[in-house]
């Protein structure tokens, strides 16, 4: 009798339990589908008014480096498969990781925390391109690492189409790209891999070949400095493509920038496109600049310089030319002045933990850091991530004005 009663209860409860499970499963399916559609198609406002109050009117470049091993680094070498060996200093044997834990803190405001989804929403359906030399390539790789972790496998890709690299976020229809052009204008060093600074030849009034690849890009970030500074004179053409002359670098740099500004003014629509120009990335080739009576370089440096610093590797003449040319532009090009904040970071370079001519340094080369340490390029994660945090803040601010005020 008891068994019959239990059986009847089971018969009554089973359909109820089954229906509940089916409803839960259906609810989960709907929720998962909603989340998926929300990831692919969400068009929320990427910047709220309170965020705008943080970034509007702030001088992002005036501040200090703050030790922060809680929020920084924003990614790791292991979490980003797109990094090249030249920048993976820890993997290449660097014993310390302190250089990864410094956060830039502006004096009068907070940098908004980097939000990859918001950036991808701002860039939805658009192309963002970094143009310049290997320093700019490092910033490109930093940006790819900052966004790639939020994109599912199979929905992201990196293609090499020399002289370009193209990272795609498929669900947002976003391209983050890099274009090799060390002088911005055309030169004999425009091949992506077969180039040398030793025999540089710049065509100071030629830019059309590069310009075809930049045309129509929604966000352009330009940079050009290190290749100009190899020697105080540079072989170049201007006017006649067959007449090569020796130019003082500062004169040649101004002529090249004027060619670039002519292209910008005739090809950029300021209503639909954004243009940024990065200031020079500093070098730390001589330790006597920050430590009296020393004879080294950036090798074995683990901490930033205390207080303001301006090294001899950063040309005030070039900085002045750049500011003068940008101020004369008829359309708005935002100047991202990362030089001073990067000057302090003598600890952030690849040193002996990078590549030379496409190969990691040998043990013998590593034993001679005075000759072989690379005090020009930066480890990743590292200083270029901060450049991109500042770029992100500018994109947020620009979006606010476009979204709310137009």
């Amino acid at each position: 009798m008891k068994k019959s009663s239990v059986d009847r209860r089971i018969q009554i409860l089973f359909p109820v339990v089954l229906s509940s499970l089916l409803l839960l499963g259906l609810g989960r399916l709907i929720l998962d589908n909603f989340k998926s559609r929300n990831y692919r198609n969400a068009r929320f406002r990427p910047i709220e008014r309170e965020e705008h109050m943080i970034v509007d009117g702030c001088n992002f470049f005036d501040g200090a480096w703050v030790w922060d091993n809680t929020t920084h680094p924003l990614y790791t070498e292991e979490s980003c498969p797109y990094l090249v060996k030249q920048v993976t200093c820890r993997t290449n044997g660097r014993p310390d990781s302190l250089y990864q834990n410094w956060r830039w803190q502006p004096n009068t405001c907070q940098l908004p925390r980097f939000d990859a989804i918001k950036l991808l929403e701002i860039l939805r359906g658009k192309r963002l391109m970094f143009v310049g030399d290997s320093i700019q390539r490092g910033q490109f790789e930093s940006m790819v690492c900052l966004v790639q972790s939020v994109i599912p496998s199979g929905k992201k890709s990196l293609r090499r189409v020399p002289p370009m690299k193209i990272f795609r976020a498929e669900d947002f229809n976003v391209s983050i790209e890099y274009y090799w052009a060390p002088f911005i204008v055309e030169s004999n060093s425009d091949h992506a891999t077969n180039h040398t600074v030793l025999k540089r030849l710049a065509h100071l009034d030629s830019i059309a070949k590069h310009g075809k690849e930049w045309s129509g890009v929604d966000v352009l970030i330009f940079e050009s400095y290190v290749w100009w500074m190899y020697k105080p004179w540079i072989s170049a053409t201007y006017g006649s493509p067959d007449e090569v002359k020796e130019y003082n670098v500062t004169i040649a740099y101004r002529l090249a920038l004027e060619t670039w500004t002519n292209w910008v003014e005739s090809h950029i629509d300021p209503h639909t496109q954004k243009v940024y120009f990065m200031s020079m990335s500093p070098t730390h080739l001589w330790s006597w600049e920050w430590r009296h009576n020393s004879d080294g370089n950036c090798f074995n440096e683990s901490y930033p310089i205390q207080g303001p610093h301006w090294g001899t590797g950063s040309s005030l003449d070039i900085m002045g030319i750049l500011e003068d040319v940008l101020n004369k532009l008829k359309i708005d090009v935002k100047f991202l002045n990362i030089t001073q904040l990067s000057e302090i970071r003598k600890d952030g370079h690849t040193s002996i933990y990078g590549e030379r001519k496409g190969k990691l340094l040998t043990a013998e080369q590593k034993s001679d850091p005075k000759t072989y340490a690379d005090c020009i390029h930066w480890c990743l994660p590292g200083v270029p991530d901060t450049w991109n945090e500042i770029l992100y803040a500018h994109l947020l601010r620009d979006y606010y004005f476009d979204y709310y005020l137009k």
Side-chain angles (χ1 to χ4, degrees):
M1 191 71 178
K2 289 182 179 179
K3 184 177 184 301
S4 177
S5 175
V6 170
D7 289 343
R8 282 198 300 273
R9 287 180 182 177
I10 292 173
Q11 290 174 357
I12 293 170
L13 290 173
F14 181 75
V16 176
V17 173
L18 181 61
S19 298
S20 299
L21 290 172
L22 289 172
L23 286 172
L24 285 172
L26 180 61
R28 179 60 182 270
L29 182 64
I30 292 172
L31 180 61
D32 288 346
N33 185 55
F34 174 78
K35 287 181 178 178
S36 177
R37 286 189 294 108
N38 185 56
Y39 167 79
R40 291 194 303 268
N41 300 314
R43 294 185 181 277
F44 56 85
R45 295 179 178 181
I47 179 170
E48 302 298 334
R49 292 181 185 271
E50 60 269 21
E51 287 181 295
H52 166 253
M53 297 304 293
I54 293 173
V55 300
D56 187 30
C58 175
N59 179 2
F60 299 121
F61 311 104
D62 182 22
W65 290 99
V66 177
W67 172 255
D68 182 356
N69 63 352
T70 302
T71 66
H72 284 62
L74 299 175
Y75 58 90
T76 64
E77 292 180 17
E78 295 77 17
S79 69
C80 185
Y82 302 106
L83 290 175
V84 298
K85 286 184 179 180
Q86 184 181 24
V87 299
T88 54
C89 299
R90 289 282 287 158
T91 300
N92 299 339
R94 180 165 177 168
D96 71 296
S97 61
L98 300 177
Y99 65 92
Q100 299 181 354
N101 300 119
W102 294 95
R103 172 176 55 83
W104 180 249
Q105 174 60 60
N107 286 331
T108 59
C109 63
Q110 295 285 338
L111 270 176
R113 180 162 175 80
F114 191 94
D115 187 323
I117 292 290
K118 283 188 177 181
L119 178 61
L120 290 169
E121 276 294 342
I122 290 172
L123 297 176
R124 182 183 286 276
K126 296 179 180 179
R127 298 170 63 195
L128 180 148
M129 180 184 288
F130 295 94
V131 179
D133 54 29
S134 53
I135 299 296
Q136 194 74 330
R137 185 175 62 225
Q139 189 175 358
F140 158 79
E141 290 173 1
S142 161
M143 182 63 84
V144 169
C145 289
L146 287 168
V147 303
Q148 67 86 27
S149 63
V150 303
I151 307 169
S153 299
K155 298 294 184 179
K156 55 189 174 184
S157 62
L158 178 66
R159 292 188 301 126
R160 292 171 176 79
V161 188
M164 297 177 65
K165 289 185 175 182
I166 303 170
F167 176 81
R168 287 280 301 163
E170 297 299 337
D171 286 341
F172 292 88
N173 190 26
V174 167
S175 290
I176 298 174
E177 307 174 18
Y178 164 71
Y179 185 92
W180 168 263
F183 295 102
I184 294 185
V185 293
E186 295 170 25
S187 74
N188 67 341
S189 302
D190 290 338
H191 192 281
T193 56
N194 185 20
H195 52 250
T196 174
V197 73
L198 302 177
K199 299 179 180 179
R200 57 193 181 150
L201 172 64
H203 306 297
L204 303 176
D205 56 351
S206 299
I207 203 169
K209 181 180 177 182
H210 295 331
K212 288 180 181 179
E213 303 298 332
W214 309 336
S215 182
V217 175
D218 302 280
V219 182
L220 284 160
I221 306 102
F222 292 92
E223 175 272 339
S224 181
Y225 177 68
V226 171
W227 277 64
W228 292 94
M229 304 309 294
Y230 174 64
K231 288 182 179 180
W233 295 83
I234 184 172
S235 298
T237 64
Y238 188 81
S240 172
D242 300 319
E243 187 175 353
V244 179
K245 295 181 180 179
E246 292 295 304
Y247 286 80
N248 180 283
V249 160
T250 56
I251 294 174
Y253 191 81
R254 180 180 288 275
L255 291 173
L257 280 189
E258 289 173 352
T259 297
W260 170 79
T261 58
N262 290 335
W263 181 89
V264 168
E265 290 178 346
S266 60
H267 290 82
I268 293 296
D269 182 351
H271 301 292
T272 60
Q273 294 170 282
K274 307 291 183 185
V275 182
Y276 300 86
F277 205 108
M278 307 290 297
S279 68
M280 64 192 72
S281 171
T283 62
H284 294 90
L285 303 174
W286 303 285
S287 62
W288 53 261
E289 293 184 347
W290 60 84
R291 187 182 302 111
H292 294 305
N293 299 320
S294 62
D295 190 30
N297 50 34
C298 68
F299 171 68
N300 225 20
E301 296 288 348
S302 297
Y303 294 92
I305 297 170
Q306 297 298 311
H309 171 74
W310 190 274
T312 56
S314 298
S315 169
L316 289 172
D317 290 336
I318 293 293
M319 182 71 86
I321 292 169
L322 182 54
E323 291 179 335
D324 181 55
V325 169
L326 292 180
N327 286 335
K328 292 178 180 177
L329 264 170
K330 297 176 183 177
I331 67 173
D332 181 36
V333 172
K334 290 185 172 60
F335 182 45
L336 302 184
N337 190 356
I338 53 84
T339 304
Q340 181 63 81
L341 68 90
S342 305
E343 282 278 7
I344 305 169
R345 294 301 307 277
K346 61 181 171 58
D347 58 311
H349 294 287
T350 55
S351 181
I352 62 171
Y353 307 106
E355 290 184 316
R356 175 168 286 210
K357 298 181 179 179
K359 295 182 180 180
L360 294 176
L361 269 61
T362 65
E364 182 180 357
Q365 289 172 327
K366 286 183 177 180
S367 68
D368 184 12
K370 190 172 180 180
T371 301
Y372 290 100
D374 180 350
C375 299
I376 296 175
H377 297 96
W378 304 91
C379 299
L380 290 178
V383 173
D385 301 325
T386 296
W387 304 345
N388 280 325
E389 288 183 272
I390 293 173
L391 173 62
Y392 169 69
H394 275 274
L395 290 169
L396 279 175
R397 183 158 61 188
D398 289 347
Y399 179 86
Y400 174 85
F401 288 109
D402 290 345
Y403 193 97
Y404 288 104
L405 303 181
K406 283 190 175 181

